[in-house]
Amino acid sequence: TFVNEANDQPVAVTGEFDIDSNVTETAWESVGPSGSVAGGDADNDWAALDDVPTDADWIQVRIACEASDTSSTANALRSTRIYARGGDGSQGVGPINQIHKHLYYNNADGDGAYMGQNTVKIPINSDRVFDVNWSSSCEALDADLYLIGWGYNP
């Protein structure tokens, strides 16, 4: 089952979660609805999760990612990886929970750029919490999550 609010928007609830500004690079941090930080349930609040029912099993998010380098090492491989798991998860980073990955080479002047997006489902616990982790070798990064729906396992 998939639920999306009929709000004439391509997202269920407006308001992005800025991964690279809120989550420490290479650290697993939890994300929950408003008040989760104060209540001790999560490391980060995301108001968009407030509308997700407590009995939902997963959320569907759009990941929008932009990365760039200017005047860095020529022909260098750059990458960004984003991982997610259920709020009570214990898996480390790896292919099983990688929700976004991009690679690019800088040009001979050391410049390079990437823009892309994809849509994934992330398991949540009964507190509407999930964990996220990221790493990047890019000089500049903007990685955002947009809530586009939620659902229930059969």
Side-chain angles (χ1 to χ4, degrees):
T1 303
F2 175 76
V3 177
N4 185 330
E5 292 185 358
N7 62 0
D8 297 324
Q9 300 289 325
V11 293
V13 181
T14 55
E16 73 214 30
F17 181 76
D18 190 336
I19 297 170
D20 56 291
S21 293
N22 291 302
V23 176
T24 303
E25 186 172 7
T26 70
W28 281 107
E29 290 191 22
S30 53
V31 180
S34 299
S36 294
V37 173
D41 294 324
D43 301 311
N44 299 277
D45 288 339
W46 184 20
L49 295 173
D50 296 355
D51 289 345
V52 175
T54 57
D55 62 340
D57 294 308
W58 46 265
I59 56 173
Q60 187 164 358
V61 298
R62 179 172 299 114
I63 303 165
C65 191
E66 298 178 17
S68 63
D69 290 88
T70 56
S71 303
S72 62
T73 306
N75 304 313
L77 176 64
R78 299 296 187 206
S79 69
T80 296
R81 292 171 172 84
I82 302 171
Y83 306 90
R85 63 186 184 194
D88 301 318
S90 61
Q91 311 97 324
V93 297
I96 196 165
N97 54 18
Q98 187 173 69
I99 61 172
H100 183 82
K101 175 181 178 179
H102 73 254
L103 304 168
Y104 66 86
Y105 280 96
N106 290 343
N107 64 19
D109 295 327
D111 299 331
Y114 167 86
M115 294 175 60
Q117 61 180 324
N118 59 303
T119 302
V120 298
K121 293 178 178 134
I122 300 173
I124 56 174
N125 66 19
S126 60
D127 293 319
R128 298 169 289 172
V129 172
F130 66 96
D131 298 336
V132 68
N133 182 308
W134 69 280
S135 65
S136 180
S137 60
C138 305
E139 290 178 1
L141 177 68
D142 183 25
D144 301 317
L145 296 179
Y146 296 89
L147 181 66
I148 59 173
W150 53 84
Y152 307 88
N153 294 332

